[in-house]
Amino acid sequence: MVEQVTGHPAADWATSDALVVEQSRGVVPASSWLIDAARSASRSARVLQLLTPEHSGLTYPMELLLRDAGAEWIVQEDDERFRRGFDGVPSRWNGTRFVRDPDRPSPPPAESAITSGDLEVRITTVHPAAEPVRFGAGAEAALRALTGREPTGWGNAEPVTRPWSADELTWHCRNRAPGRTQVIVAGHGVVGQVHVSPADAGTIEETKLSGPAVGTLRPEQADALAERLAASARMMLVAVHPGRRGGVRSSEPSRPALPYGLLVGQEMVAARGTVHAGQAPAARVVGFGSGDRSAVWCVLNGGRRPPYEQLSDVLRHFALPDTL
């Protein structure tokens, strides 16, 4: 490829365009070295490219790290053939980085079904500046609904090293304010991320979790989670990712997560009223609360239109961006 450089301890190769990190392990976690390598690449205006063999998979926090950092997962199929890990787009080395190979067609992603893969839960909560804040409540509620237990630990990298404590997590985030804070959370068969960032009206907390397998969650459990978060969350999306199993994303190309349900919080329902909210174009709409303190849970599984289309319809119904 290029002359080996020791610009960062985790980087095997460095050029003017990229830091390339080679990993051959079966599962690649978001280790402290890889997190720092992503920061180093960003500071030097280069892209981080993670190079693995086909048999390797990524933990969900590692997957999020690559996406958040604008980094790329490159899979080596043989001595001369490479492709991107998330979408399967063929790639080649151009002398300074891996780029798309225009001479090879992209394979179609495997068809997804809502009956296979890991659950994916994304919760967005806005904490007003004038109110007391306790970070981690969304993660606790989701873990109880998904596993019947609270989270087991948290930390800045994988593996997490601190026992779960929402109070300690809150202190950690406050201590870093007004900067952004990102930590990894783990539970029984569930792993993910809590991201805290400042906003004009207070603080935004984004919780992203993966696992367990879709077959372990009954519809009434998802309904109960939505009801539990209806008074606090701005939004929650529950989906099924066909390419992720046991908390590990395989290198086989797959379609994006298949949406199951969307919780629309009180602020957005109040903006247009409960009658408008009850008319959301979803297979099933469940209301929680009353008056200005109402939220709606839009179940997208079933109905005449596919879940992807229903989600787009619901987002347009509430004038929300189609980029969850």
Side-chain angles (χ1 to χ4, degrees):
M1 288 186 188
V2 293
E3 181 182 355
Q4 194 163 8
V5 177
T6 58
H8 187 276
D12 295 280
W13 308 94
T15 72
S16 59
D17 291 335
L19 288 180
V20 181
V21 178
E22 296 185 39
Q23 293 279 295
S24 59
R25 61 177 64 187
V27 178
V28 181
S31 66
S32 58
W33 278 40
L34 288 175
I35 291 172
D36 193 62
R39 293 171 179 161
S40 178
S42 177
R43 287 193 298 265
S44 60
R46 291 180 287 184
V47 62
L48 174 68
Q49 295 187 314
L50 175 67
L51 178 62
T52 75
E54 283 188 295
H55 72 264
S56 294
L58 307 183
T59 65
Y60 187 47
M62 186 65 213
E63 186 180 339
L64 292 174
L65 171 64
L66 294 182
R67 293 190 183 279
D68 293 344
E72 297 177 348
W73 182 16
I74 304 297
V75 174
Q76 183 168 8
E77 298 177 320
D78 55 38
D79 290 342
E80 302 295 332
R81 292 165 63 90
F82 302 87
R83 60 175 170 82
R84 294 201 303 232
F86 292 124
D87 56 16
V89 172
S91 303
R92 62 178 177 82
W93 181 255
N94 73 351
T96 60
R97 60 172 292 177
F98 288 98
V99 297
R100 182 168 187 159
D101 186 349
D103 297 328
R104 293 170 54 202
S106 299
E111 288 298 324
S112 56
I114 208 165
T115 56
S116 64
D118 277 0
L119 287 164
E120 184 175 302
V121 179
R122 299 187 179 193
I123 306 165
T124 301
T125 306
V126 178
H127 301 281
E131 297 182 7
V133 61
R134 181 178 182 270
F135 299 119
E140 288 179 339
L143 263 292
R144 290 192 194 104
L146 298 175
T147 69
R149 307 177 186 180
E150 290 198 351
T152 56
W154 69 283
N156 294 317
E158 290 184 287
V160 297
T161 57
R162 305 179 188 181
W164 177 254
S165 169
D167 292 338
E168 290 186 8
L169 174 62
T170 300
W171 181 89
H172 177 78
C173 294
R174 282 177 172 171
N175 195 44
R176 296 195 173 192
R180 299 171 181 265
T181 304
Q182 188 169 287
V183 300
I184 296 170
V185 296
H188 295 275
V190 178
V191 68
Q193 176 192 93
V194 172
H195 184 273
V196 175
S197 58
D200 292 340
T203 307
I204 298 176
E205 179 183 5
E206 295 177 284
T207 303
K208 300 177 181 179
L209 303 170
S210 179
V214 61
T216 64
L217 185 72
R218 301 187 304 275
E220 54 268 27
Q221 289 176 281
D223 292 351
L225 174 59
E227 184 174 14
R228 169 67 179 80
L229 294 174
S232 59
R234 185 177 190 270
M235 186 183 304
M236 177 184 69
L237 177 67
V238 177
V240 179
H241 202 297
R244 200 181 299 124
R245 289 177 172 81
V248 176
R249 176 72 179 268
S250 76
S251 71
E252 180 182 356
S254 67
R255 296 191 183 277
L258 191 66
Y260 172 82
L262 178 72
L263 174 69
V264 181
Q266 295 177 356
E267 177 186 353
M268 290 176 287
V269 170
R272 297 196 176 192
T274 56
V275 174
H276 173 268
Q279 296 170 344
R284 181 165 61 95
V285 180
V286 181
F288 303 117
S290 61
D292 291 341
R293 300 186 66 82
S294 298
V296 291
W297 170 233
C298 302
V299 179
L300 312 171
N301 183 30
R304 296 180 179 180
R305 291 168 63 79
Y308 292 119
E309 295 181 8
Q310 288 189 57
L311 177 60
S312 294
D313 292 343
V314 171
L315 293 173
R316 282 194 297 269
H317 185 76
F318 289 99
L320 297 171
D322 195 6
T323 56
L324 291 183

